[in-house]
Amino acid sequence: MPAFSRFLRYFIAVGRLGSIRKAADVLNVSASAIDRQILNVEADMGMPLFERLPTGLRLTAAGEMMMASGLKWQKELGDVRTQIEDLRGLKRGHVDIAIIDALAKGYIPSTIHAIQSQYPGITIGIKVLNNDAVRSAILGGEVDFGIFFEPQSFRGITVQAFVEVVLGLLTPAGHPLGQHREARFSACAGSALIVPAEPLAVCQQIAVLEGITGVVVDKTVTSDNIQMITSLVLQGVGIGILTSIDVTTEVRRGLLSFTKISDSVLRPMILALCTSSARTPSYAAGIVLREIENGFAQLSYPASMETTADPDS
């Protein structure tokens, strides 16, 4: 700690503990050194910072003002030291991120692993939330940035990168429907379906498909959890409806097949990496943001999920 902060260290410790002797024990310095520092400042200010009572020391009104300013100053000093370390090439800091459930596997975990390997001084907190909650966390300053669907209509949000994500039919490996790269929504008529429930963002698109196409589907199971839908499809309970990013890992491993729903009424969904327009990312947040942005295109509808040419129908 720099020498010019010595008094505040002593003062804050005494203010919290109410005793010079206790503060001396905690700080591992002599009580006389602490007392001398406090008396010198009181003499300079022309008023006492503590009431000397038989039971210990208690802050005066001036002391309470000094305590509030001192605590604020300590925090600001910590921020300055972090910035100085950044200038010296010591990449440190904490970064909070909010993501939707679909990103809890695959690209984001692997990217964070790479970041931790390259910048071990940066710690990361990850909140897995529903789509609206991710947006709220960004706007409320609870996180440094987040990833969610359809940010275009919201003020206060800055889109750093985006990809188009498509809706599709999810089938176990070997299912006849899975041999097609694309199919109309009507292809699932008559089959048991496992469909997303609120608050998953894809619910609106499914409602649009049902309303415009008039296709009556058998919703055998509904769930608000992507992993549950994926697991039920793997168990053969029925055909699932999810987005391409929900099942990239399983499709690439050959466990499931993904068939894009080709109805023209269905537009791609926009998945975006976003920050708050009112907040400038910290140095550490800028590093993590840049690393995630660099490979963000991997989250678009990937060629590796395409199994065969389009069906004739």
Side-chain angles (χ1 to χ4, degrees):
M1 182 70 70
F4 63 81
S5 66
R6 185 177 297 117
F7 160 71
L8 278 180
R9 290 180 61 216
Y10 295 171
F11 170 78
I12 291 172
V14 174
R16 284 174 168 168
L17 298 172
S19 166
I20 290 177
R21 177 61 60 186
K22 290 179 181 178
D25 291 340
V26 170
L27 298 174
N28 196 27
V29 296
S30 69
S32 61
I34 294 177
D35 191 38
R36 184 167 57 252
Q37 286 278 345
I38 292 174
L39 289 172
N40 287 342
V41 172
E42 287 181 326
D44 288 342
M45 296 182 62
M47 63 175 56
L49 298 174
F50 293 99
E51 293 181 54
R52 273 71 175 177
L53 305 172
T55 55
L57 276 69
R58 184 171 64 191
L59 290 167
T60 62
E64 290 177 352
M65 293 175 63
M66 179 69 75
M67 177 67 81
S69 296
L71 293 173
K72 181 180 178 182
W73 183 87
Q74 272 195 336
K75 181 181 183 303
E76 291 175 348
L77 177 62
D79 293 340
V80 170
R81 294 183 68 188
T82 298
Q83 293 172 23
I84 292 172
E85 288 179 344
D86 290 340
L87 292 175
R88 294 169 53 201
L90 303 176
K91 306 299 189 289
R92 301 180 186 279
H94 180 77
V95 181
D96 286 308
I97 308 169
I99 62 173
I100 56 174
D101 183 51
L103 300 174
K105 57 185 178 181
Y107 173 67
I108 295 299
S110 65
T111 302
I112 289 174
H113 178 262
I115 291 169
Q116 287 291 292
S117 299
Q118 189 172 358
Y119 306 102
I122 295 178
T123 58
I124 300 175
I126 305 172
K127 295 182 178 182
V128 180
L129 307 170
N130 67 54
N131 203 66
D132 288 341
V134 172
R135 172 178 54 83
S136 297
I138 297 170
L139 290 172
E142 300 170 33
V143 295
D144 294 285
F145 60 87
I147 306 173
F148 68 108
F149 281 119
E150 307 298 339
Q152 310 94 300
S153 59
F154 297 108
R155 290 184 177 181
I157 292 289
T158 298
V159 175
Q160 303 292 341
F162 71 92
V163 294
E164 291 187 342
V165 175
V166 300
L167 195 67
L169 302 172
L170 187 64
T171 52
H175 191 284
L177 182 59
Q179 302 303 310
H180 301 300
R181 184 183 64 165
E182 297 184 3
R184 292 187 176 278
F185 183 58
S186 57
C188 65
S191 299
L193 288 188
I194 307 163
V195 297
E198 294 286 356
L200 294 179
V202 297
C203 292
Q204 295 179 357
Q205 288 211 321
I206 296 173
V208 168
L209 280 170
E210 290 181 293
I212 294 181
T213 65
V215 174
V216 178
V217 295
D218 176 14
K219 297 180 181 179
T220 301
V221 181
T222 61
S223 176
D224 63 356
N225 183 272
I226 291 170
Q227 186 56 56
M228 175 58 70
I229 295 172
T230 304
S231 296
L232 289 170
V233 175
L234 284 168
Q235 290 294 322
V237 174
I239 295 173
I241 302 180
L242 287 172
T243 72
S244 51
I245 63 165
D246 294 324
V247 292
T248 299
T249 301
E250 290 80 4
V251 171
R252 287 177 175 169
R253 291 177 179 173
L255 301 174
L256 296 172
S257 297
F258 180 86
T259 302
K260 176 185 174 183
I261 297 175
S262 61
D263 296 63
S264 59
V265 298
L266 196 64
R267 63 174 180 82
M269 299 175 70
I270 301 299
L271 179 73
L273 173 63
C274 301
T275 57
S276 168
S277 303
R279 182 179 181 184
T280 301
S282 67
Y283 189 81
I287 290 175
V288 177
L289 182 65
R290 183 179 66 248
E291 293 296 325
I292 292 178
E293 183 178 355
N294 285 342
F296 201 70
Q298 297 180 34
L299 294 172
S300 62
Y301 181 50
S304 60
M305 293 181 68
E306 301 175 356
T307 53
T308 66
D310 291 318
D312 294 332
S313 59

